[in-house]
Amino acid sequence: MSYRNRLEKCDKFTFALLIVGSFLSFFPVTISAQTLAENLGYPPGTKLIIVHADDLGETHAVNAAAIKSLESGSVNSASLMVPCPWFPEIADYAKSHPNVDFGLHLTLTSERVYYRWGSVASADKVPSLLDENGYFHHDWEHNQHIDAKEVETELRAQIERALAMGVRPTHLDSHQYRLIMNGKELFDVMLRVAHDYKVPVFVNTDWFADYPYLQKSVGPDDIVLDHTITIGPDVLPEKWADFYISALKNLKPGVTEFVIHPGFDDEELRAATRERPTWGAAWRQRDFDFFNSNQFRQMLVQENIKLITWRELARMAARK
Amino acid sequence: MSYRNRLEKCDKFTFALLIVGSFLSFFPVTISAQTLAENLGYPPGTKLIIVHADDLGETHAVNAAAIKSLESGSVNSASLMVPCPWFPEIADYAKSHPNVDFGLHLTLTSERVYYRWGSVASADKVPSLLDENGYFHHDWEHNQHIDAKEVETELRAQIERALAMGVRPTHLDSHQYRLIMNGKELFDVMLRVAHDYKVPVFVNTDWFADYPYLQKSVGPDDIVLDHTITIGPDVLPEKWADFYISALKNLKPGVTEFVIHPGFDDEELRAATRERPTWGAAWRQRDFDFFNSNQFRQMLVQENIKLITWRELARMAARK
């Protein structure tokens, strides 16, 4: 939903508050779609994207596809799952490539069936996050008790392990949006931890209508992107490129994060994801293929779309 | 080293003790190479082998190669690494194939560089087993303190997770022989835990000369195999089949466990083991290839070698 559409949904009182808020806020990046881009030195109306690969560390097939995409320039940012068994591989890469834009993909679930992982924090410190076999839950059932203090313990443990292993994260985001979509308490935990470590959190105004506590919690110093685009299970495999081309053609001004999931459709990834096709091996190969295609590169030129990273955004925020 | 050779190394007093021991012991499976086979109903001189795949659960490539080998009959026993991320895949297989001879490959190290795992027990219960990043140590340095009580906690946690996930282990063995070769205290922990769960431990008389505490610790009710054969880094890749053929031709009477490491030389396994060739992807493919070859099957017929499993050995022990 666009910024304009969201405003149209607001009643007049809320709109008035937003306007007042924009004057009261010293640097109202949370309010104006143009402001974030303008503060990076771009003229109003500029379209900027972060092409962001998720789930690094989860499998080797995802690490390998992400590294190839980063090195070809088709992806310019990514985030790492610290609890996963292939984290050491991508941490080693991050350590030896300190200029690559790597964040941490804070992880509280182990959603697959045949291939699983648990917490970084000592298991007895985070019992509400673990299932009866000691792995992160596959899913969070409705009304499942997830203890916010335990979430904070686990997030800090993930960040500390990443730092200890040489990763210097440029941002934090949340695997399966668990920390975004499960209420103010968990989002505030992520935000507090991010503030402590002085790294931005991935949040954008597209989410504010459905999760209004996000807007309430972010402050004037938080970086808030304008939009996000991610492909969903409703897109047929043969329409994959069409979806992204349409999204790029209709891109709105401001900063948009494309959340993508490149991976190689090989034995490992097929086995790890075989219980369902969503975000599976073929899905991830399609993402890899589109973003490594000439079609994608040509679209960037044709639509005059610029690339930007979390590192650049954070640098801008630091200059404020 | 053969039973006879070992006896030749004993002094006369020890030899006399062994002979007395064999009479005192109600069922001296630890003493006579022939007795174990004879008690299974085989005539003296029978050659029996367990073809045992190690490291299941470690990677998908190892699980897939082991399952294919078990289903073709070229491998008849295997053991599972509970702390590893692919354990759920092989536990699911074990649960749905309850007659397959699966033991637990008790694991206290995470020896690879780019792909790693930690304890099943809560991390703060087993600090001496974990490195500064929370994984099992790559290796145990000389004089490194490994707390035996923590080892016991971890072994019990691994067995409990396996049981909870539907695995009914037929035996226990030790990844990298850590619990065999690191002194009486750790071996006794494994043996005590095995006795509590009423499953045999893989130990054989070939090891007694180098690790005499093994012989001191096992009792008359423990199953002690006669020999073990495993390939080492001194064998050139092109001599792989020659090594196994020679071992089969020169097999001694009694029960011998072939400890093998089948795996597929694919992207996942190559990446997971890339820091050194020993027990790497190509090594494991060679093991898969030999034991799935007609040459191996023909050797069993030609040399009149019978196959036996841990399940059959345990059944025999239970009848005593």
Side-chain angles (χ1 to χ4, degrees):
Chain A
M1 186 182 293
S2 71
Y3 176 61
R4 181 173 300 279
N5 286 344
R6 277 180 296 102
L7 284 190
E8 283 167 5
K9 284 190 75 178
C10 293
D11 62 30
K12 283 180 184 168
F13 177 70
T14 310
F15 182 71
L17 277 182
L18 284 171
I19 295 298
V20 171
S22 75
F23 283 104
L24 289 177
S25 166
F26 172 66
F27 192 79
V29 291
T30 61
I31 302 303
S32 164
Q34 271 66 48
T35 309
L36 186 58
E38 284 171 27
N39 276 284
L40 286 160
Y42 292 98
T46 303
K47 297 171 182 177
L48 293 150
I49 64 171
I50 304 170
V51 186
H52 190 278
D54 271 23
D55 299 346
L56 279 64
E58 195 181 48
T59 59
H60 172 68
V62 164
N63 284 353
I67 288 171
K68 195 161 181 186
S69 302
L70 285 159
E71 294 189 349
S72 75
S74 61
V75 160
N76 71 339
S77 184
S79 57
L80 320 182
M81 296 172 74
V82 183
C84 293
W86 282 97
F87 176 70
E89 177 180 65
I90 199 68
D92 181 75
Y93 183 86
K95 195 174 169 182
S96 59
H97 296 78
N99 294 323
V100 176
D101 195 49
F102 282 131
L104 299 184
H105 198 51
L106 299 167
T107 299
L108 298 172
T109 45
S110 176
E111 67 274 23
R112 294 294 172 179
V113 172
Y114 302 105
Y115 175 70
R116 305 195 66 202
W117 51 84
S119 59
V120 173
S122 193
D124 56 9
K125 297 278 197 300
V126 293
S128 77
L129 303 183
L130 303 175
D131 70 11
E132 68 280 11
N133 296 320
Y135 302 109
F136 280 138
H137 297 290
H138 286 287
D139 204 350
W140 291 351
E141 302 299 325
H142 184 61
N143 286 336
Q144 180 152 15
H145 172 65
I146 298 293
D147 186 291
K149 279 189 187 163
E150 295 176 19
V151 168
E152 181 158 350
T153 298
E154 176 60 22
L155 299 189
R156 290 183 187 276
Q158 292 184 16
I159 295 168
E160 286 300 322
R161 178 183 281 184
L163 292 171
M165 291 174 70
V167 179
R168 298 286 169 265
T170 58
H171 62 290
L172 300 180
D173 57 21
S174 169
H175 184 52
Q176 298 189 315
Y177 304 115
R178 297 280 160 171
L179 297 160
I180 299 294
M181 299 182 171
N182 285 284
K184 180 172 166 56
E185 192 179 18
L186 294 193
F187 178 66
D188 287 354
V189 167
M190 175 162 71
L191 201 59
R192 180 164 64 245
V193 170
H195 289 168
D196 283 355
Y197 285 95
K198 303 191 192 323
V199 281
V201 154
F202 171 38
V203 63
N204 69 87
T205 57
D206 282 354
W207 294 338
F208 286 174
D210 287 338
Y211 309 102
Y213 51 82
L214 300 177
Q215 191 167 12
K216 285 182 189 142
S217 289
V218 292
D221 289 332
D222 290 308
I223 296 170
V224 178
L225 305 194
D226 302 302
H227 306 293
T228 187
I229 289 169
T230 194
I231 207 161
D234 52 315
V235 179
L236 295 173
E238 60 270 25
K239 298 289 182 189
W240 221 253
D242 290 352
F243 170 88
Y244 285 124
I245 287 167
S246 170
L248 290 162
K249 276 187 179 163
N250 295 299
L251 197 69
K252 295 192 174 62
V255 180
T256 299
E257 176 163 319
F258 276 69
V259 175
I260 69 167
H261 300 85
F264 291 135
D265 185 12
D266 65 7
E267 290 296 330
E268 177 204 21
L269 197 52
R270 273 198 290 274
T273 63
R274 66 185 183 265
E275 68 278 4
R276 57 179 181 272
T278 45
W279 291 273
W283 174 305
R284 289 170 191 258
Q285 183 71 54
R286 290 194 294 275
D287 266 9
F288 177 86
D289 290 345
F290 178 77
F291 285 91
N292 283 278
S293 70
N294 284 331
Q295 206 172 16
F296 170 59
R297 291 184 196 96
Q298 285 161 4
M299 284 299 298
L300 295 184
V301 176
Q302 182 184 309
E303 300 297 325
N304 197 23
I305 296 166
K306 312 285 182 202
L307 294 173
I308 193 166
T309 64
W310 277 101
R311 191 186 303 282
E312 291 167 292
L313 291 172
R315 206 176 287 147
M316 174 276 291
R319 276 202 304 267
K320 276 168 47 181
Chain B
M1 184 183 293
S2 72
Y3 175 62
R4 184 173 299 279
N5 287 345
R6 275 180 299 100
L7 285 190
E8 282 166 6
K9 284 188 77 178
C10 294
D11 60 32
K12 281 179 187 170
F13 177 71
T14 311
F15 182 73
L17 279 182
L18 284 171
I19 294 298
V20 171
S22 74
F23 283 103
L24 289 178
S25 166
F26 171 67
F27 194 78
V29 292
T30 60
I31 303 303
S32 165
Q34 269 65 48
T35 310
L36 186 58
E38 283 170 27
N39 276 283
L40 286 160
Y42 293 98
T46 303
K47 297 172 182 177
L48 292 151
I49 63 171
I50 304 170
V51 187
H52 190 279
D54 271 24
D55 299 347
L56 279 65
E58 195 181 50
T59 60
H60 171 68
V62 164
N63 285 352
I67 289 171
K68 194 161 183 187
S69 303
L70 286 159
E71 295 190 348
S72 76
S74 61
V75 159
N76 71 339
S77 183
S79 57
L80 321 181
M81 296 172 75
V82 183
C84 294
W86 283 99
F87 175 70
E89 178 180 65
I90 199 69
D92 182 74
Y93 182 86
K95 196 176 168 181
S96 59
H97 295 78
N99 294 323
V100 176
D101 196 49
F102 283 131
L104 299 184
H105 199 51
L106 300 167
T107 299
L108 298 172
T109 45
S110 177
E111 67 274 23
R112 295 294 172 180
V113 173
Y114 302 105
Y115 174 70
R116 305 196 66 202
W117 51 84
S119 59
V120 173
S122 201
D124 56 11
K125 298 276 196 301
V126 292
S128 78
L129 304 184
L130 303 175
D131 70 11
E132 69 279 12
N133 296 318
Y135 302 108
F136 280 137
H137 298 289
H138 286 285
D139 204 349
W140 291 352
E141 302 299 325
H142 185 61
N143 285 335
Q144 180 152 13
H145 173 65
I146 298 294
D147 186 291
K149 280 189 186 162
E150 295 175 18
V151 168
E152 182 158 351
T153 299
E154 176 60 20
L155 300 190
R156 290 181 187 277
Q158 293 185 14
I159 295 168
E160 286 298 322
R161 178 183 281 183
L163 292 172
M165 291 175 71
V167 180
R168 298 288 169 262
T170 58
H171 62 291
L172 301 179
D173 56 21
S174 168
H175 185 52
Q176 298 189 318
Y177 304 114
R178 297 282 161 171
L179 297 160
I180 299 292
M181 298 181 173
N182 284 284
K184 180 172 165 56
E185 191 180 18
L186 294 194
F187 178 67
D188 286 354
V189 167
M190 175 163 71
L191 201 59
R192 182 165 63 245
V193 170
H195 289 168
D196 284 356
Y197 285 95
K198 301 190 192 326
V199 282
V201 155
F202 172 39
V203 62
N204 69 87
T205 56
D206 282 354
W207 294 338
F208 286 174
D210 287 339
Y211 308 102
Y213 51 82
L214 301 177
Q215 190 167 12
K216 285 182 191 143
S217 290
V218 292
D221 289 333
D222 289 309
I223 295 170
V224 178
L225 304 194
D226 301 302
H227 306 294
T228 187
I229 289 169
T230 194
I231 207 162
D234 52 315
V235 178
L236 295 172
E238 60 271 24
K239 297 290 182 188
W240 221 253
D242 291 351
F243 171 88
Y244 285 124
I245 287 166
S246 169
L248 291 162
K249 276 188 178 163
N250 296 300
L251 198 68
K252 296 192 174 60
V255 181
T256 298
E257 176 164 318
F258 276 70
V259 175
I260 68 167
H261 300 85
F264 290 135
D265 184 12
D266 66 6
E267 290 295 330
E268 177 204 21
L269 197 51
R270 272 198 290 274
T273 62
R274 68 185 182 266
E275 69 277 5
R276 57 178 181 273
T278 44
W279 291 273
W283 174 305
R284 289 170 192 258
Q285 182 72 53
R286 290 194 294 275
D287 265 8
F288 177 85
D289 291 345
F290 178 77
F291 284 91
N292 283 277
S293 68
N294 284 331
Q295 206 172 17
F296 170 59
R297 290 184 197 97
Q298 285 161 3
M299 283 299 297
L300 295 184
V301 176
Q302 183 185 309
E303 301 296 325
N304 196 22
I305 295 166
K306 313 286 182 201
L307 294 173
I308 193 165
T309 64
W310 277 102
R311 189 186 304 283
E312 291 167 289
L313 292 172
R315 206 175 287 148
M316 175 276 291
R319 277 202 304 268
K320 276 169 46 182

